[in-house]
């Protein structure tokens, strides 16, 4: 394992999941709560055979999804150094037969995949709009991951529209304050909002994230799932521990 690590890289367990490892570089970024909750939120069914993960980073979402499905998963990552780590994460977990990593701009995905050929697209996108006055991180890696420098929300949705089959799912995590904009863009591009789950730092605080499941050309009707509270007075809530595979709810 250590021979697969380059300078400044660390090898961690993938939370409480026995046997799954993830290489990370803290100076780039580390996989986050967002990705973990997104992967947990995804509902798999027998119709889902092909999965794309937009902006895969070190590939935590494909790794987590491999615990739920044997379907083929492709992670798309624009930053070559980041994608290199993602590829090694696939290798060290012996998942090369299931997961493929492509170095690619999300906008170029329709050149690599046939229209309407994908059943599920997941995306933990950049949360923050970018302006010249934006307070960005000194790390280019983190800036691209967190701010809409390389791609914006509407382009993600438009690209997903091209690739998803009829009734295919787009599952995202985003900042709750952008929900109105997200819903407007989904409706503009003929997606139907099917499930929402709000994420709260503590039970007496406002939601800071929202998990979204929308279907391409789907029928209207949205299910609001139970609130997901991250912390209580003892640290992580039992619900979060269960998602992390630590203990029981």
């Amino acid at each position: 394992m250590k021979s697969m690590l380059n300078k400044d890289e660390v090898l961690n367990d993938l939370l409480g999941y026995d046997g799954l490892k993830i290489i990370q570089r803290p100076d780039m970024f580390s996989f986050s709560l967002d990705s973990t909750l997104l992967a947990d939120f995804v509902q798999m069914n027998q119709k889902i055979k092909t999965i794309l993960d937009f902006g895969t980073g070190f590939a935590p979402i494909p790794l987590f999804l491999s615990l739920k499905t044997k379907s083929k998963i492709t992670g798309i990552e624009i930053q070559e150094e980041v994608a290199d780590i993602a590829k090694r994460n696939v290798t060290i977990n012996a998942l090369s037969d299931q997961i493929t990593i492509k170095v690619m701009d999300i906008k170029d995905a329709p050149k690599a995949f046939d229209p309407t050929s994908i059943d599920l697209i997941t995306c933990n996108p950049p949360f923050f709009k970018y302006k010249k006055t934006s307070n960005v991180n000194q790390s280019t890696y983190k800036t691209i991951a967190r701010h809409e420098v390389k791609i914006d929300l509407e382009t993600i949705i438009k690209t997903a529209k091209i690739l998803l089959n009829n009734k295919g799912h787009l599952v995202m995590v985003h900042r709750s304050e952008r929900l109105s904009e997200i819903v407007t863009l989904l409706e503009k591009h003929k997606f139907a909002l099917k499930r929402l789950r709000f994420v709260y730092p503590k039970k007496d605080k406002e939601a800071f994230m929202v998990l979204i499941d929308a279907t391409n050309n789907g029928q209207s009707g949205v299910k609001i799932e139970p609130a997901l509270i991250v912390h209580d007075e003892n640290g992580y809530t039992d619900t979060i521990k269960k998602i992390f595979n630590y203990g029981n709810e």
Side-chain angles (χ1 to χ4, degrees):
M1 290 285 191
K2 288 185 178 179
S3 63
M4 296 193 70
L5 296 179
N6 296 328
K7 183 182 178 183
D8 299 324
E9 294 177 353
V10 294
L11 183 67
N12 300 124
D13 293 324
L14 196 67
L15 298 177
Y17 293 93
D18 290 340
L20 280 181
K21 302 287 185 180
I22 187 165
I23 300 170
Q24 303 193 86
R25 250 185 66 179
D27 64 310
M28 289 180 173
F29 42 75
S30 296
F31 86 88
S32 60
L33 177 70
D34 321 350
S35 296
T36 311
L37 299 185
L38 174 60
D40 176 74
F41 182 68
V42 169
Q43 287 186 339
M44 299 302 304
N45 61 58
Q46 292 182 342
K47 294 181 179 179
I48 296 174
K49 304 296 185 185
T50 53
I51 302 168
L52 283 186
D53 182 38
F54 282 175
T56 200
F58 298 148
I61 292 173
L63 294 180
F64 280 123
L65 291 182
S66 75
L67 299 167
K68 289 184 160 189
T69 181
K70 298 300 181 185
S71 297
K72 298 294 184 181
I73 306 168
T74 302
I76 293 175
E77 174 54 50
I78 193 172
Q79 301 188 77
E80 192 164 351
E81 287 182 85
V82 177
D84 173 69
I85 295 175
K87 289 176 181 179
R88 284 183 281 134
N89 280 329
V90 173
T91 300
I92 64 172
N93 288 291
L95 289 168
S96 298
D97 289 342
Q98 182 181 9
I99 301 173
T100 302
I101 304 298
K102 291 184 178 291
V103 183
M104 182 185 299
D105 191 323
I106 293 168
K107 295 189 289 290
D108 293 332
K111 299 175 184 177
F113 301 91
D114 292 334
T116 71
S117 65
I118 306 300
D119 302 314
L120 166 67
I121 292 175
T122 55
C123 187
N124 180 3
F127 284 166
F128 304 106
K129 295 191 176 187
Y130 178 75
K131 299 180 291 186
K132 289 184 178 180
T133 56
S134 295
N135 182 21
V136 299
N137 198 286
Q138 290 183 345
S139 165
T140 301
Y141 303 109
K142 293 179 181 179
T143 296
I144 290 173
R146 295 173 180 172
H147 290 80
E148 294 180 337
V149 177
K150 296 290 186 180
I151 197 163
D152 61 21
L153 178 60
E154 183 164 19
T155 303
I156 289 170
I157 293 172
K158 287 166 64 176
T159 306
K161 180 73 178 181
I162 295 168
L163 296 173
L164 283 170
N165 61 29
N166 195 43
K167 304 298 192 295
H169 287 257
L170 172 61
V171 181
M172 294 190 297
V173 59
H174 220 298
R175 299 286 291 189
S176 52
E177 64 260 29
R178 293 189 67 179
L179 180 58
S180 176
E181 175 190 2
I182 294 165
V183 172
T184 298
L185 290 173
L186 288 171
E187 290 179 346
K188 176 181 175 181
H189 295 286
K190 303 297 189 292
F191 280 89
L193 196 60
K194 302 307 291 183
R195 292 188 300 134
L196 280 179
R197 191 172 196 185
F198 291 96
V199 183
Y200 299 78
K202 293 184 176 180
K203 65 180 181 181
D204 57 346
K205 300 293 184 181
E206 294 181 355
F208 70 114
M209 284 194 297
V210 61
L211 298 158
I212 299 159
D213 183 354
T215 55
N216 184 25
N217 301 320
Q219 296 181 337
S220 60
V222 58
K223 175 183 176 183
I224 309 296
E225 298 199 349
L228 186 53
I229 299 167
V230 178
H231 293 101
D232 59 21
E233 61 276 8
N234 298 314
Y236 284 123
T237 61
D238 288 343
T239 302
I240 293 294
K241 288 178 183 176
K242 185 177 180 182
I243 291 171
F244 289 175
N245 208 32
Y246 294 151
N248 297 308
E249 187 175 2

